[in-house]
Amino acid sequence: MLWAVLTITAAAAQTARNAAQRGLVASVGTLGATHARFLYGLPFALLFLAGLGLAGVQLEWPQGAAVGWAALGGVAQIGATALLIAAMRSSAFMLAVAYTKLEPVLVMAIAALAVGEVPTTGQGVAIVAATAGVLLMAWPAAATLSASRAAAVTPTGAGPAGETAIAEAWWRPLAYGLGSGALFALSAVAFRAAVLTFETPGFVAAAITTLALALAIQTVLFSAWLAATAPATLRALIARPRAALPAGFMGALASAFWFMAFALASAPLVRTLALVEILMSGIVGRRLFAETPSPRQIAGATLLVAGIAGLFLG
């Protein structure tokens, strides 16, 4: 059950990281806030690694397979984030984000195809149920969907141009959401594969080494891309270390727990249990902000709880 404890801890740390990143958006923009988790997370990952070495933990230099899987995971994660940002800029971004909630099912499919990890029948049913529950909770209301559709209509509201705009209002969020979810799923499977390539006894060292390797690759790639396309954003981020360090630390901490969980359990199980973060957010909203859930959200939460429980019974 240690993997479950690590997963829930990672989800909590990720929530804190998201809050820290949101605080950066006003000063460095969305791309800058996104890069903070890489640029300012890498020093902390290296400190974690150094701490293990000083504590006498046996470390192993990553070999070709680990580098390849970590690079694949890192690039996929960057691509998933880019698509998510594109979704947020879309008039139908709520619909696009809802599609990203299919990630656990996509993780299950990619894990089976890429590394041959197939969950039991009970676990598969639980993953599908939990995913359906969170998709039900996240799906935009009918009024929002109607507004997105209306926003796509041309002033004349008719003709080929109008029909094309309406079609784009549906396929664009589908492409953004499924693309982002699929790439996040691929990154989870790749990071687990990277952790499992290490022969060093003890999963902590393998997880932290993979974390440092992945963040190094992501920092180099994202920094180079920002330097070429948005140098002002990169300069603004570098000039604000005090504001960005909390996001970097919480990002590195969350990823450390994610990778340790990946070392102990398959990616589909870890990413499905991670959906508990959404349930926790709903509880907080209910208690602190007196938000009343809709019948659909209650049904979705029930499915989510049933699916999470099924992970341990299947």
Side-chain angles (χ1 to χ4, degrees), residues 93-199:
F93 78 95
M94 289 183 66
L95 187 59
V97 171
Y99 283 123
T100 68
K101 305 306 180 184
L102 291 169
E103 180 195 350
V105 169
L106 296 172
V107 171
M108 182 171 61
I110 291 174
L113 292 173
V115 295
E117 287 189 344
V118 180
T120 66
T121 301
Q123 290 172 338
V125 172
I127 291 170
V128 172
T131 303
V134 76
L135 188 62
L136 195 59
M137 294 172 68
W139 198 261
T144 302
L145 294 178
S146 298
S148 297
R149 183 183 177 91
V153 180
T154 58
T156 61
E163 293 174 1
T164 300
I166 293 174
E168 288 184 355
W170 294 100
W171 70 254
R172 194 181 299 277
L174 174 65
Y176 286 155
L178 289 183
S180 179
L183 287 177
F184 274 128
L186 177 60
S187 70
V189 173
F191 287 144
R192 169 166 164 79
V195 172
L196 294 181
T197 62
F198 289 87
E199 299 178 357

Side-chain angles (χ1 to χ4, degrees), residues 27-33 35 39 89 221-238:
S27 57
V28 300
T30 302
L31 289 176
H35 191 34
L39 182 63
R89 293 174 176 170
L221 292 178
F222 213 120
S223 295
W225 182 73
L226 281 181
T229 61
T233 297
L234 183 59
R235 288 194 298 269
L237 182 61
I238 293 174

Side-chain angles (χ1 to χ4, degrees), residues 1-296:
M1 296 299 293
L2 180 57
W3 72 270
V5 175
L6 293 170
T7 298
I8 293 173
T9 305
Q14 181 168 292
T15 300
R17 184 208 72 199
N18 291 340
Q21 283 182 300
R22 281 196 295 269
L24 284 171
V25 172
S27 57
V28 300
T30 302
L31 289 176
T34 299
H35 191 34
R37 64 179 294 190
F38 306 132
L39 182 63
Y40 288 96
L42 177 59
F44 290 108
L46 296 176
L47 284 175
F48 297 161
L49 197 60
L52 291 178
L54 292 174
V57 176
Q58 181 182 349
L59 300 177
E60 179 184 342
W61 190 260
Q63 302 301 312
V67 175
W69 282 116
L72 176 61
V75 171
Q77 193 175 60
I78 290 175
T81 303
L83 284 177
L84 190 57
I85 291 172
M88 291 177 180
R89 293 174 176 170
S90 167
S91 61
F93 78 95
M94 289 183 66
L95 187 59
V97 171
Y99 283 123
T100 68
K101 305 306 180 184
L102 291 169
E103 180 195 350
V105 169
L106 296 172
V107 171
M108 182 171 61
I110 291 174
L113 292 173
V115 295
E117 287 189 344
V118 180
T120 66
T121 301
Q123 290 172 338
V125 172
I127 291 170
V128 172
T131 303
V134 76
L135 188 62
L136 195 59
M137 294 172 68
W139 198 261
T144 302
L145 294 178
S146 298
S148 297
R149 183 183 177 91
V153 180
T154 58
T156 61
E163 293 174 1
T164 300
I166 293 174
E168 288 184 355
W170 294 100
W171 70 254
R172 194 181 299 277
L174 174 65
Y176 286 155
L178 289 183
S180 179
L183 287 177
F184 274 128
L186 177 60
S187 70
V189 173
F191 287 144
R192 169 166 164 79
V195 172
L196 294 181
T197 62
F198 289 87
E199 299 178 357
T200 302
F203 66 93
V204 176
I208 300 303
T209 303
T210 302
L211 170 63
L213 176 61
L215 282 176
I217 293 170
Q218 290 172 315
T219 298
V220 170
L221 292 178
F222 213 120
S223 295
W225 182 73
L226 281 181
T229 61
T233 297
L234 183 59
R235 288 194 298 269
L237 182 61
I238 293 174
R240 291 169 174 81
R242 180 174 294 183
L245 279 172
F249 172 72
M250 294 310 302
L253 187 65
S255 294
F257 282 108
W258 284 128
F259 286 14
M260 286 189 282
F262 287 146
L264 299 177
S266 67
L269 295 184
V270 172
R271 294 307 298 164
T272 302
L273 180 57
L275 296 177
V276 73
E277 175 189 357
I278 297 172
L279 188 61
M280 293 166 60
S281 298
I283 294 173
V284 170
R286 170 68 173 166
R287 288 185 175 273
L288 297 185
F289 304 109
E291 296 174 351
T292 303
S294 67
R296 185 184 62 185

